[in-house]
């Protein structure tokens, strides 16, 4: 038998990476991952389970998913051929980075980590434009960096994660018309935001969405909207059967009950305003505007505040180790009214 030194089995740059870490949250109030806090109503749950019982697990899933794509695309007045489905929008980010022409991937900093991480997996150079102190984006700087780095792909999360803000429509439009590579406008937080960018779709401009934040994080379903030709090219790097049968059946079912999830999103926006006001009134907290289902705040001794919340069984996301603009920042997902109440009481107690 040939003996490989185990040092040679895996690429050096992969060995240097850390795996994506998801902290253990059992038994905790979970305000760290932008999930919807509401359980399914019992009656709806019973009909959904009945529907799942009709799925034949002995067969591969529907590979083409024409009807599901048609149903989703119709909500934006688009056709099935303008939509690509992914196992979460993470998988679509991976497809985009696999298929885009050679060249750098450009994004603002800070932003959603997977643009950078997946680029590195695929040995694609990455380059970032630092956001301004108020988290605004300078579109001239962005376009200049894209030109200098010969970027072939760029991501703009609108609203941005982890900052929560929405960049001005004029700066997004300037980038959409000025950049020649693939531009992905990531609308993961659209259910909580006040505008979409679907009117900017062009052969090189695509809109990325997910159902994770709306309430179906466990299904892992995201989609990309774009020009028919670009979508059909990207579809070539989609793994066969990437959306499992249970997810397909569930999405088809829940799309018929979409108003419930939209109502919940509105409720979360209301809670975001209430929690935001209460946090702003606490001495020592600097709160940033958000159009997402989370709030970012800056506070002295963020590590200690994070740990003390954890001791009280409340899990949020500590952004401090990212440094730069995120130094001393904490990201808090908006939960149910009770969960938010527990968070506010705990924070007041810790900071008293
Ligand atoms: C901006 C943004 N895009 C995409 C995703 C990935 O979502 P999913 O893979 O669950 O669809 C996230 C998740 O946090 C996000 O914040």
């Amino acid at each position: 038998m040939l003996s490989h030194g185990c040092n040679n089995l895996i690429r050096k740059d992969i060995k240097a990476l850390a795996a994506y870490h998801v902290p253990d949250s059992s038994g905790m109030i979970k305000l760290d991952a932008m999930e919807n806090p509401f359980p399914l109503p019992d009656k709806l749950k019973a009909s959904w389970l009945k529907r799942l019982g009709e799925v034949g697990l002995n067969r591969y899933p529907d590979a083409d998913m024409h009807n599901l794509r048609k149903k989703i695309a119709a909500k934006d007045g688009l056709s099935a051929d303008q939509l690509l489905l992914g196992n979460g929008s993470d998988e679509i980010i991976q497809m985009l980075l696999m298929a885009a022409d050679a060249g750098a991937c450009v994004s603002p900093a800070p932003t959603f980590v997977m643009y950078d991480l997946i680029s590195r997996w695929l040995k694609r150079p990455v380059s970032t434009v630092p956001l301004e102190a108020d988290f605004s984006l300078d579109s001239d700087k962005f376009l200049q960096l894209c030109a200098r780095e010969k970027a072939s792909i760029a991501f703009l999360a609108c609203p941005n994660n982890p900052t929560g803000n929405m960049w001005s429509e004029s700066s997004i439009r300037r980038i959409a018309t000025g950049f020649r590579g693939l531009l992905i406008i990531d609308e993961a937080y659209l259910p909580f935001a006040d505008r979409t960018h679907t009117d900017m779709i062009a052969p090189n401009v695509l809109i990325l969405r997910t159902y994770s934040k709306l309430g179906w994080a466990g299904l892992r379903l995201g989609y990309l909207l774009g020009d028919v030709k670009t979508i059909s090219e990207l579809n070539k790097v989609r793994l066969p059967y990437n959306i499992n049968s249970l997810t397909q059946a569930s999405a088809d079912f829940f799309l018929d009950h979409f108003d419930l999830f939209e109502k919940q999103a509105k409720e979360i926006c209301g809670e975001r305003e209430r929690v935001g006001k209460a946090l702003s009134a606490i001495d020592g907290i600097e709160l940033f505007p958000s159009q997402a289902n989370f709030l970012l705040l800056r506070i002295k001794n963020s590590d200690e505040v994070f740990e003390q919340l954890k001791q009280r069984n409340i899990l949020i996301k500590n952004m401090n180790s990212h440094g730069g603009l995120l130094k001393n920042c904490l990201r808090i997902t908006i939960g149910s009214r009770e969960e938010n109440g527990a968070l506010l009481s705990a924070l007041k107690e810790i900071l008293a």
Side-chain angles (χ1 to χ4, degrees):
M1 200 170 83
L2 277 177
S3 111
H4 292 278
C6 80
N7 285 342
N8 301 329
L9 294 177
I10 305 288
R11 263 168 39 197
K12 246 197 195 138
D13 56 315
I14 298 289
K15 284 200 275 188
L17 293 173
Y20 190 88
H21 173 67
V22 179
D24 180 16
S25 59
S26 33
M28 300 187 88
I29 295 183
K30 196 171 180 314
L31 303 177
D32 66 327
M34 286 80 96
E35 293 147 325
N36 167 319
F38 305 112
L40 277 182
D42 287 344
K43 224 172 121 189
L44 189 66
K45 192 171 185 173
S47 329
W48 167 58
L49 289 173
K50 185 165 172 287
R51 177 73 170 273
L52 288 186
E54 291 158 11
V55 174
L57 287 182
N58 55 321
R59 301 290 177 201
Y60 279 108
D62 176 353
D64 177 62
M65 301 174 278
H66 180 84
N67 288 339
L68 184 55
R69 287 187 292 118
K70 188 172 161 190
K71 197 162 172 172
I72 296 170
K75 286 191 176 290
D76 283 277
L78 300 174
S79 69
D81 294 344
Q82 291 181 277
L83 187 140
L84 182 81
L85 288 167
N87 187 345
S89 47
D90 283 348
E91 192 194 32
I92 300 176
I93 295 168
Q94 187 175 34
M95 289 185 222
L96 286 157
L97 287 166
M98 284 195 291
D101 203 358
C105 170
V106 168
S107 61
T111 192
F112 182 47
V113 293
M114 295 312 287
Y115 312 143
D116 181 283
L117 197 58
I118 299 175
S119 293
R120 289 175 197 277
W121 298 346
L122 298 169
K123 294 195 163 187
R124 184 180 285 280
V126 289
S127 204
T128 56
V129 184
L131 293 177
E132 306 299 310
D134 63 354
F135 298 136
S136 60
L137 174 68
D138 183 327
S139 51
D140 286 333
K141 280 189 195 161
F142 196 88
L143 285 169
Q144 281 157 15
L145 185 81
C146 288
R148 201 177 72 218
E149 297 295 321
K150 298 190 175 42
S152 57
I153 182 163
F155 288 88
L156 292 174
C158 305
N160 189 37
N161 172 17
T163 57
N165 62 320
M166 181 76 113
W167 296 307
S168 77
E169 186 168 353
S170 57
S171 53
I172 304 300
R173 201 170 287 282
R174 237 178 92 61
I175 295 169
T177 49
F179 180 54
R180 294 282 157 252
L182 282 182
L183 175 70
I184 293 86
I185 302 178
D186 184 343
E187 295 189 338
Y189 300 95
L190 178 68
F192 318 97
D194 67 10
R195 68 161 205 265
T196 174
H197 304 82
T198 39
D199 68 319
M200 297 185 196
I201 288 176
N204 69 320
V205 181
L206 300 133
I207 306 290
L208 182 61
R209 302 227 187 108
T210 176
Y211 288 116
S212 296
K213 319 297 171 184
L214 192 72
W216 317 347
L219 289 185
R220 305 301 295 130
L221 190 65
Y223 61 98
L224 186 71
L225 298 170
D227 169 82
V228 174
K229 184 84 182 73
T230 314
I231 292 288
S232 88
E233 296 301 342
L234 289 165
N235 191 42
K236 295 176 187 172
V237 296
R238 185 173 62 83
L239 283 172
Y241 316 116
N242 64 327
I243 311 297
N244 73 71
S245 306
L246 297 176
T247 294
Q248 290 189 31
S250 303
D252 183 58
F253 175 83
F254 290 131
L255 283 166
D256 292 336
H257 301 274
F258 209 65
D259 48 344
L260 169 75
F261 299 98
E262 287 179 319
K263 222 174 93 203
Q264 291 177 345
K266 273 214 180 84
E267 201 174 324
I268 289 168
C269 290
E271 277 295 285
R272 179 183 67 201
E273 302 318 307
R274 184 181 76 87
V275 175
K277 268 199 195 118
L279 288 173
S280 304
I282 300 177
D283 235 12
I285 288 184
E286 182 186 2
L287 184 76
F288 299 100
S290 169
Q291 284 204 30
N293 60 342
F294 59 87
L295 290 165
L296 187 80
L297 58 86
R298 199 176 278 141
I299 192 168
K300 252 203 268 167
N301 304 328
S302 57
D303 287 348
E304 197 187 321
V305 173
F306 171 79
E307 285 304 327
Q308 292 221 22
L309 283 171
K310 219 164 124 184
Q311 278 166 27
R312 288 167 171 79
N313 270 335
I314 300 176
L315 185 65
I316 61 165
K317 180 88 175 173
N318 186 1
M319 308 304 306
N320 185 37
S321 63
H322 293 254
L325 287 175
L326 295 177
K327 193 159 167 33
N328 274 328
C329 284
L330 300 174
R331 191 190 66 195
I332 302 174
T333 301
I334 301 298
S336 65
R337 199 176 166 85
E338 297 69 40
E339 290 172 329
N340 301 331
L343 170 91
L344 288 171
S345 313
L347 263 180
K348 282 179 195 155
E349 204 181 284
I350 294 164
L351 298 174

